[in-house]
Amino acid sequence: MEMTRRKLLNGARFLSFTLDGENYCIDILKVKELMGMTAITPLPRTPAFIRGVINLRGQIIPVIDLRLRFGLKFRDYTKRTCIMVVEVTYEGENVLMGLVVDAIQDVVSIPDEKLSKIPYVSAHIKSEYIRGVADTPEGMKIVLDVLRILNEEELATVKDTAEVQVEAKK
């Protein structure tokens, strides 16, 4: 029993959430903050999945709706809808962005040996966004790679969006 517990603690920890009825996870070390839905200021001339920006304690953060990013149908936000503020590194700089998800579940530990890399997943999203799949006591979890959610050009747009908004505030 103790060995099993220690093994679970040695695994990576992930924040699990739902999106269109599927269970997903993201590396908890990338998650900086969780927040309920708030007013999002729309931005002109950005892709539809970039919903706009929010002001988080004086910091302007672009917000991406994961449903729209993954090609799913838009669903009105509810009291369970959340924004996960994540941090990614782009061109040597840390960039914050908000990811809109249907609901946050919990934190799960997934030992490395339980994370399977498979070329195709029967999920609603493209396999290019997926780091792997894990069978946990809570059920199957699709582990997303936060660095692959956006391509190079989209990351540049998100970074530029945040910088432009900061400059406009000065």
Side-chain angles (χ1 to χ4, degrees):
M1 176 70 172
E2 185 60 34
M3 185 60 133
T4 305
R5 175 177 274 167
R6 208 172 292 142
K7 216 170 196 182
L8 279 174
L9 292 175
N10 288 339
R13 294 172 54 103
F14 297 88
L15 180 65
S16 67
F17 60 92
T18 58
L19 198 62
D20 202 36
E22 298 258 5
N23 292 314
Y24 295 93
C25 294
I26 197 164
D27 185 341
I28 198 156
L29 296 176
K30 299 287 184 193
V31 179
K32 298 304 171 195
E33 186 156 342
L34 299 174
M35 56 189 296
M37 279 308 294
T38 185
I40 300 172
T41 303
L43 294 173
R45 297 185 303 276
T46 57
F49 63 85
I50 298 178
R51 300 297 292 165
V53 293
I54 58 172
N55 184 332
L56 181 63
R57 292 184 295 282
Q59 190 167 10
I60 304 302
I61 299 173
V63 177
I64 293 150
D65 189 316
L66 281 185
R67 284 179 152 274
L68 298 178
R69 175 64 186 122
F70 296 155
L72 301 171
K73 185 178 173 193
F74 177 79
R75 188 171 97 184
D76 288 334
Y77 300 141
T78 68
K79 64 181 179 179
R80 299 224 40 210
T81 306
C82 294
I83 299 175
M84 294 188 305
V85 178
V86 299
E87 183 177 61
V88 295
T89 302
Y90 176 70
E91 293 184 340
E93 291 184 46
N94 292 335
V95 178
L96 292 177
M97 63 182 172
L99 302 176
V100 178
V101 299
D102 291 348
I104 299 292
Q105 298 297 312
D106 53 9
V107 176
V108 295
S109 292
I110 302 173
D112 293 336
E113 64 271 10
K114 293 281 189 186
L115 187 60
S116 305
K117 296 180 193 266
I118 54 178
Y120 173 76
V121 178
S122 177
H124 298 296
I125 65 170
K126 296 178 185 173
S127 61
E128 64 196 55
Y129 307 127
I130 299 173
R131 181 170 152 196
V133 176
D135 188 10
T136 70
E138 297 83 23
M140 290 296 287
K141 304 280 186 184
I142 300 167
V143 180
L144 297 179
D145 186 342
V146 72
L147 297 175
R148 292 186 180 164
I149 290 173
L150 299 178
N151 65 32
E152 193 82 15
E153 183 180 314
E154 292 160 344
L155 270 171
T157 300
V158 165
K159 182 177 176 247
D160 292 346
T161 297
E163 288 175 355
V164 166
Q165 293 300 314
V166 168
E167 290 300 316
K169 294 269 184 196
K170 289 182 180 178

